[in-house]
Amino acid sequence: MSLYADALKTLTISDLAAMKRAGEKISCLTAYDASFSALLDRAGIDVLLIGDSLGMVIQGHDSTLPVTVSDMVYHSRSVATARKRAFVVTDLPFASYATPEQALLNAASLMQAGGAQMVKLEGAKIEVIRFLVDQGIPVCGHLGLLPQSVNRLGGYKVQGREAQQARQIVADAEKIEQAGASLLVLECVPSGLAAEISQRLSIPTIGIGAGVDCDGQVLVLYDMLNISTGKRPRFSKDFMADASSIEEAVRHYHQAVKSAQFPAAEHSY
Ligand code: KIV
């Protein structure tokens, strides 16, 4: 195989695991359509997350709850078709993985029709994760702030500040790894807690509002391009502020993640 073909090869879960072992940070952004997918891919972003945040930034809802499996398939297919190198992770939306069987049916749609290489689900759903992995479906866990549980949590709040809750998040992270997950998103947890989890686990952690010691970082694309409506969350940063184009802003983000310059203390808890 030529060097050129090698350089364009699509990343796999083995590549992401190797990046953690080598101490190379993983850059990740959300993506929802083909144009941004191609641009992010060109800029070198390692992982494209088709997040159910599309319920807010694309569909205009005030939470992720209205998003359906068919919405996710549509956007995942658009992103997966347009990228060459980046690894594609797609969210299982609200109430689409209540049982292992339901999760399998919906994860299969995300992979077969949506082109996903991995599915992400929120919470310590150990039985569901183990079942999906046994069926050959790579899984990304998601702990800390769980946007699909916003009504139970009573708002979008930092999780794991109290010792008991922090211990529960560490225990859940270990169970998720043991169940066979290959990646773990940590959202809005104190930096020290995310650092401890990243050190304990052999699978890569991807942080959002979780400090610089995670193995990678993710942001909602429209937040870091400063085109989301409403207040930008503390953990995000306007990368357009010092860039002359969208592609330059994305390249700055990629470099800032790789060099551990982002997130800074001001973006962390
Ligand atoms: O839906 C999403 O964009 C996400 C990220 C915030 C991690 O799950």
Side-chain angles (χ1 to χ4, degrees), residues 8 16 39 50 81 87 120 130 157 192 196 202 206 261:
L8 286 183
L16 301 180
L39 184 151
I50 298 83
T81 305
F87 187 79
K120 177 164 82 60
R130 192 168 287 127
K157 301 174 188 162
E196 182 187 340
S202 55
I206 308 288
Q261 284 170 326

Side-chain angles (χ1 to χ4, degrees), residues 30 32 49 51-53 91 120 142 185 187 208 218 220:
T30 64
Y32 316 102
L49 170 65
D52 59 359
S53 51
D91 269 345
K120 177 164 82 60
H142 183 152
V185 165
E187 179 164 358
I208 173 163
V218 59
V220 171

Side-chain angles (χ1 to χ4, degrees), residues 134-231:
D134 284 350
Q135 307 303 316
I137 298 179
V139 174
C140 175
H142 183 152
L143 291 177
L145 174 56
L146 308 178
Q148 292 173 11
S149 302
V150 61
N151 292 315
R152 180 174 58 77
L153 296 173
Y156 297 98
K157 301 174 188 162
V158 178
Q159 303 293 308
R161 284 201 203 268
E162 297 87 32
Q164 197 196 335
Q165 199 187 32
R167 275 197 300 276
Q168 184 64 56
I169 295 174
V170 173
D172 287 346
E174 288 180 329
K175 280 192 249 161
I176 285 173
E177 172 169 81
Q178 283 155 17
S182 308
L183 269 186
L184 177 64
V185 165
L186 294 171
E187 179 164 358
C188 289
V189 296
S191 307
L193 176 59
E196 182 187 340
I197 294 170
S198 305
Q199 221 220 324
R200 278 175 182 250
L201 300 193
S202 55
I203 59 172
T205 59
I206 308 288
I208 173 163
V212 75
D213 292 319
C214 292
D215 303 304
Q217 298 293 331
V218 59
L219 285 179
V220 171
L221 177 66
Y222 292 10
D223 289 347
M224 57 81 75
L225 295 179
N226 200 19
I227 52 174
S228 298
T229 53
K231 190 167 168 274

